[in-house]
Amino acid sequence: MVEEEQKYEIDDTFVLPDLSATAPVGGRVRALPPVTLVARYLDTVDLRLARAGATLRHRDGDEPPWTVKLPTGTPGVRHEISRPGPTGQPPPELVELVTALHRGTPLAPVTVVRTVRHAHEVCAEDGTVLAEVVDDRVSVLDDAGASTGEFREVEVERKAGDRDLLGRIGAVLRDAGARAGSFTPKHVRALGALAQAEPDLVAPGDLADDPSAGEVVTEAVRKEVRRLLTHDPLVRLHNSTGDGDSAVHQMRVACRRLRSDLRTFRPLVRRSWARPLRDELRWLAGVLGGARDAEVLRERLRRTATADPLGPLDADAVDRLDEALAQRQRQALAAIDEALRSPRYLALVDALVLAARAPRLTRRAATPAARTLPKLAARPWRQLTGPEGVDGLDPLAPDDRWHAVRKQGKQARYAVTAVLPAVGRDARRLARALARVQDVLGEHQDAAVAADTWLALAAQRPGDHEIAVTAGRLAERERDTVRRMRSRFPNAWHRATRRRRTRWLP
């Protein structure tokens, strides 16, 4: 579940205004009875969760009472996951969701907050709750239950309504004297300055106009470490990212790009530091690969099966093929769950947080990026264009040979993307062109793998005639896609190798 809310600062004299004008035609505002909520927050001694914008709490009156809230990168928008469990014992599943933050450090109670809440629901004509506006009087409690501090705030939480409704409600509140505040959770305000200190995971920042090579390397590492660890809890939940992509895919891409960057920047990073990190990232990418491959095949099965409305396939046979892939996916996800619970993964997370804080660089990293990085990006480019790459690619070569070129192309694209801060527009043009080349080679590889998979699944059920026929027809469609991608490749490659896109490469 995604929680989206806005916070407003108010003083003790504030009176909640009439919100009826914000309701749609036929709708109304419904006042709820006041409630008292007591929330106990858990964190590490150094408040790693709070500093990262995350929450683990038990709140009396909620059902279920245990909740984890995770940042999404958008202020006021967080993932919210709730589970049942006794007061003093957080559910293991929720503790695991914040593994990338606590990294094995014990969690213990850090503050107790009591909230007296007056809530109003903005409803549609049919009674659907569009938004909730709450006026909270908050007390921070000590171990004996006595108040050690108080504050008041108004929260507006989006329910089934749109963002325009939040804007209208906000305008009414501001007219009444409320002040739009920064999104600071209650327990963070209660815990004070330490909870608002910088998180352990250093975020990417803005580079100087003329960065050093090491500064570019550092930002590239921070970007991919952030992507990987941000998707950790979503992978554990087996969720998508919310934009149609899968968390498994994003986490795997982060592994691959970080490995690629460490390879591209090899002369700039200490080998004794980078090599073990690359090895562990390869392990994690391999664990994620099974689930991602099954995911891609399941999506492709439905798309290929319905590609020709005039030649429909046996729907029951397609369903049986999909179930075989679903079973494969469930097994792969179970393997991911096991890996993410392992000491090996915990050690990798620690190493990644340290890597984002301060990559181990060589002396050469102090040189200007504009002078050093184009030479490093040129290496994978030469491999891609050389006799072992595209120059030696026979249009009738086996699928494996085309796949090898695809991997070279991916390494070259990642390298070009990594040096963008130093090169600018010319590198961006080449990166975009290589992305189109990768689209063609990626579709080629997916189709080739799918064709083999459909036939392999049919071979596992020799007595199922319907699956045999359906798998054969699916494979024919995939091989037709392979042929089409091979015919499109020369044009995509020609566009990528135009002089205006490659002139910056030494």
Side-chain angles (χ1 to χ4, degrees):
M1 169 182 177
V2 175
E3 173 195 68
E4 181 176 349
E5 63 184 19
Q6 297 173 347
K7 286 182 179 285
Y8 295 86
E9 297 177 2
I10 57 176
D11 54 35
D12 285 338
T13 63
F14 179 81
V15 177
L16 194 68
D18 181 5
L19 299 169
S20 57
T22 66
V25 176
R28 65 189 181 94
V29 176
R30 180 170 59 208
L32 302 181
V35 295
T36 298
L37 306 167
V38 178
R40 297 165 180 83
Y41 292 87
L42 277 65
D43 208 327
T44 62
V45 172
D46 55 355
L47 304 183
R48 295 180 183 181
L49 273 62
R51 289 188 286 115
T55 297
L56 172 57
R57 76 168 186 222
H58 179 281
R59 191 162 73 180
D60 296 340
D62 282 353
E63 189 54 46
W66 283 99
T67 297
V68 157
K69 294 187 180 183
L70 299 164
T72 63
T74 301
V77 181
R78 294 188 291 177
H79 297 289
E80 181 177 309
I81 307 97
S82 297
R83 296 290 185 268
T87 301
Q89 186 176 347
E93 179 186 355
L94 295 190
V95 175
E96 289 176 359
L97 287 182
V98 289
T99 295
L101 302 178
H102 64 67
R103 306 195 305 282
T105 300
L107 300 171
V110 291
T111 192
V112 179
V113 171
R114 180 178 64 212
T115 302
V116 179
R117 170 165 292 178
H118 294 77
H120 293 72
E121 295 177 336
V122 180
C123 303
E125 185 175 8
D126 63 359
T128 300
V129 179
L130 304 176
E132 183 179 54
V133 182
V134 299
D135 181 354
D136 286 344
R137 294 180 180 271
V138 183
S139 301
V140 182
L141 306 182
D142 62 17
D143 293 341
S147 175
T148 61
E150 297 181 349
F151 58 89
R152 189 178 171 204
E153 65 181 14
V154 169
E155 291 181 358
V156 183
E157 183 175 351
R158 180 184 174 196
K159 299 294 187 180
D162 56 24
R163 290 189 175 90
D164 288 342
L165 174 59
L166 296 190
R168 294 196 300 273
I169 294 172
V172 172
L173 292 173
R174 288 191 295 273
D175 287 344
R179 304 176 300 279
S182 60
F183 184 81
T184 305
K186 291 179 176 63
H187 75 296
V188 172
R189 293 184 64 176
L191 289 166
L194 179 57
Q196 299 180 52
E198 290 297 318
D200 284 354
L201 180 60
V202 181
D206 295 327
L207 286 167
D209 291 338
D210 187 19
S212 69
E215 288 171 335
V216 174
V217 172
T218 298
E219 287 304 294
V221 170
R222 288 175 177 173
K223 179 181 177 181
E224 296 311 323
V225 169
R226 185 180 182 88
R227 188 208 301 238
L228 192 156
L229 297 184
T230 296
H231 287 92
D232 169 298
L234 298 180
V235 169
R236 295 173 189 270
L237 290 167
H238 301 170
N239 279 2
S240 71
T241 60
D243 58 4
D245 205 352
S246 79
V248 168
H249 175 52
Q250 284 297 318
M251 197 173 187
R252 189 187 187 200
V253 167
C255 290
R256 288 181 161 184
R257 292 197 72 144
L258 186 49
R259 289 190 72 241
S260 175
D261 289 347
L262 292 175
R263 181 178 178 182
T264 298
F265 297 135
R266 189 181 303 166
L268 308 178
V269 295
R270 294 188 182 278
R271 183 177 181 182
S272 60
W273 170 80
R275 187 170 183 175
L277 192 56
R278 291 189 73 245
D279 289 344
E280 291 305 282
L281 288 167
R282 179 174 56 190
W283 161 73
L284 181 57
V287 172
L288 297 165
R292 175 58 181 167
D293 292 346
E295 180 181 81
V296 170
L297 285 167
R298 292 188 71 189
E299 293 173 357
R300 191 171 192 92
L301 172 63
R302 297 298 177 179
R303 187 167 67 249
T304 304
T306 58
D308 183 4
L310 299 179
L313 304 184
D314 187 316
D316 290 338
V318 171
D319 286 343
R320 293 199 293 280
L321 288 169
D322 181 65
E323 177 51 37
L325 293 173
Q327 176 62 24
R328 184 183 298 183
Q329 187 176 20
R330 287 190 290 270
Q331 293 172 348
L333 289 172
I336 292 175
D337 292 341
E338 182 178 356
L340 297 190
R341 295 187 183 111
S342 69
R344 182 176 185 177
Y345 177 72
L346 203 60
L348 174 57
V349 172
D350 253 333
L352 291 171
V353 172
L354 292 174
R357 185 178 303 162
R360 302 289 298 277
L361 305 176
T362 63
R363 291 182 180 179
R364 187 175 172 185
T367 58
R371 187 178 73 202
T372 301
L373 297 188
K375 298 176 183 178
L376 301 184
R379 293 178 181 177
W381 174 254
R382 286 194 295 269
Q383 292 174 346
L384 174 63
T385 58
E388 298 300 318
V390 176
D391 281 358
L393 184 61
D394 187 332
L396 300 179
D399 295 335
D400 288 348
R401 179 72 177 85
W402 281 78
H403 181 44
V405 171
R406 174 180 177 255
K407 290 192 291 185
Q408 291 174 335
K410 184 176 292 187
Q411 173 68 26
R413 180 167 69 92
Y414 285 169
V416 170
T417 303
V419 304
L420 270 174
V423 179
R425 183 177 61 183
D426 288 344
R428 185 173 292 107
R429 287 173 174 170
L430 180 56
R432 289 173 179 169
L434 285 175
R436 289 189 286 270
V437 170
Q438 283 300 107
D439 288 343
V440 172
L441 293 176
E443 180 67 6
H444 177 284
Q445 173 65 7
D446 288 349
V449 169
D452 292 343
T453 300
W454 312 145
L455 297 178
L457 290 174
Q460 294 172 7
R461 301 187 181 189
D464 193 328
H465 177 70
E466 290 78 9
I467 277 190
V469 172
T470 300
R473 294 180 66 187
L474 286 167
E476 288 177 355
R477 293 179 182 182
E478 301 291 5
R479 294 310 305 179
D480 180 63
T481 298
V482 168
R483 289 188 288 273
R484 285 190 290 109
M485 292 304 105
R486 292 193 182 199
S487 68
R488 291 181 186 176
F489 176 76
N491 183 55
W493 180 244
H494 174 71
R495 291 166 65 93
T497 53
R498 287 177 178 171
R499 179 63 182 164
R500 65 188 179 95
R501 294 191 173 95
T502 62
R503 61 191 174 192
W504 59 275
L505 288 165

